Amino acid sequence: MSHVGPNAAASARPSTGDPGAAAEAAKTWRDVVAAYVGLTKPRVIELLLLTTVPVMFYAARGVPDLDLVVWTVLGGTFSAGSASVFNCVYDRDIDEQMRRTRRRALPRHIVSPRAALVFGFVLGILSTVVLYLGVNALSALLSVTAIAFYVFVYTMLLKRRTTQNIVWGGIAGCFPALIGWTAVTGSLAWTPVVLFLVVFFWTPPHTWALALRYREDYANVDVPMLPVVKPAREVGRQVVVYSWVMVATSLLLWPVARTSLVYPVAAAVLGAVFLVEAHRMWQRAKASEALSDINPMRLFHASNLYLSLLFVAVALDPLLGR
């Protein structure tokens, strides 16, 4: 892992003709630490953990063992961080050209690709060891599978080749629901599979709304996100289709897991609100291709809130529905 000391700026030589190296040398150690943290995509980690811990509550039918939660969260953080770092290394060429990603560590030359790659492997190994020793072998295996799927299937195989990239590549982001369940029970069941599918069907509306906002960026780097190759009205239509399937799948948890009424009531209300937002975006997209009119980020933020509150309902169901 590379390190740049606070006095590095004094040794920089503008005459080298390498602006990237000069920029890297001018950074303090705090900038470097922040850069390494940024490579792990902390906001993504937060969302993934939010689909892990509530499932642990439901699997335990109450409050799970605190030590188990700590080890699972720690291992999950390392796992998600590892996958994100590998993604940043592989996509550094296009990240440098996109407005949304050009401020990341690798495009800014704060961290070298080699150092980032080592960092990714270290996080991956740590996640596996932590989950294996602190949780169980099945959770560790699921974590490794999620990392491999995100890196090899989504990042390297699908992202730059097909509009279905985030549909199937999004499977990696569904694994936390399985890991949270297996951390408590040591085995798989239909309940976490349903929650896995909820996240699976949630991913396209969530990601396509963001991709619609940055469709010019993706077009400039030849990444065939759906909003790049299809008009906004078609993106809106598919967002609505996936949203309906997502809501229907979320309600399926009630009979499958035999929840109390707390969960299905919350899922129905949250689902109805989300569907209204999805349909409204579709209507705006049918009327105009202008992003200022479509306002896709409204749905993007709504999707984050939806998933967060839905999994909070999963955690609260065994506590309030007794």
Side-chain angles (χ1 to χ4, degrees):
M1 188 179 301
S2 65
H3 176 76
V4 179
N7 297 321
S11 62
R13 295 291 183 268
S15 61
T16 60
D18 185 353
E24 183 173 358
K27 300 302 177 182
T28 69
W29 67 269
R30 291 184 179 84
D31 294 322
V32 175
V33 170
Y36 276 107
V37 172
L39 285 172
T40 67
K41 302 180 183 178
R43 291 184 179 178
V44 174
I45 292 176
E46 290 175 9
L47 198 59
L48 292 176
L49 293 180
L50 193 60
T51 60
T52 304
V53 177
V55 178
M56 297 181 72
F57 273 74
Y58 194 85
R61 302 303 299 169
V63 180
D65 179 76
L66 181 59
D67 288 342
L68 184 63
V69 173
V70 170
W71 286 115
T72 305
V73 167
L74 187 61
T77 298
F78 289 151
S79 176
S82 174
S84 293
V85 172
F86 287 134
N87 173 264
C88 287
V89 172
Y90 189 84
D91 280 348
R92 64 187 184 279
D93 59 329
I94 60 176
D95 281 352
E96 194 164 4
Q97 303 175 57
M98 296 177 64
R99 288 175 299 164
R100 187 173 68 88
T101 57
R102 64 177 54 158
R103 299 300 297 169
R104 288 177 178 172
L106 290 171
R108 293 170 62 198
H109 306 285
I110 302 177
V111 179
S112 71
R114 181 178 180 179
L117 194 62
V118 171
F119 184 49
F121 275 112
V122 169
L123 289 177
I125 293 170
L126 283 175
S127 71
T128 305
V129 171
V130 167
L131 290 172
Y132 182 80
L133 297 179
V135 185
N136 56 53
L138 180 55
S139 296
L141 177 61
L142 289 170
S143 170
V144 172
T145 303
I147 294 173
F149 197 96
Y150 186 74
V151 175
F152 295 109
V153 177
Y154 169 66
T155 302
M156 300 178 69
L157 180 63
L158 297 176
K159 183 174 180 178
R160 306 191 192 202
R161 290 180 172 86
T162 172
T163 59
Q164 295 297 298
N165 46 20
I166 56 91
V167 176
W168 300 107
I171 288 176
C174 306
F175 274 82
L178 302 182
I179 294 172
W181 183 271
T182 58
V184 174
T185 67
S187 62
L188 289 170
W190 285 112
T191 296
V193 170
V194 171
L195 293 171
F196 178 102
L197 291 173
V198 170
V199 181
F200 176 78
F201 292 119
W202 166 87
T203 302
H206 168 78
T207 310
W208 284 335
L210 183 65
L212 189 58
R213 166 66 178 82
Y214 292 99
R215 61 185 176 186
E216 291 184 6
D217 270 359
Y218 287 112
N220 289 337
V221 294
D222 296 322
V223 174
M225 288 290 186
L226 185 68
V228 173
V229 300
K230 297 291 184 180
R233 62 179 180 276
E234 175 60 19
V235 176
R237 186 188 71 82
Q238 293 203 34
V239 162
V240 166
V241 170
Y242 273 94
S243 297
W244 273 99
V245 177
M246 175 193 71
V247 173
T249 304
S250 72
L251 294 172
L252 187 62
L253 187 68
W254 179 22
V256 169
R258 297 181 180 180
T259 70
S260 72
L261 287 176
V262 171
Y263 172 79
V265 169
V269 171
L270 291 171
V273 172
F274 189 87
L275 287 173
V276 168
E277 287 295 337
H279 276 274
R280 284 177 174 172
M281 193 191 83
W282 185 24
Q283 292 301 318
R284 295 194 298 268
K286 287 193 289 187
S288 172
E289 282 284 326
L291 290 178
S292 58
D293 296 330
I294 300 172
N295 192 13
M297 294 303 288
R298 180 182 174 93
L299 183 67
F300 174 78
H301 294 305
S303 68
N304 284 332
L305 186 61
Y306 168 83
L307 194 71
S308 301
L309 293 180
L310 184 74
F311 274 81
V312 168
V314 170
L316 292 178
D317 186 84
L319 300 175
L320 302 179
R322 292 176 176 175

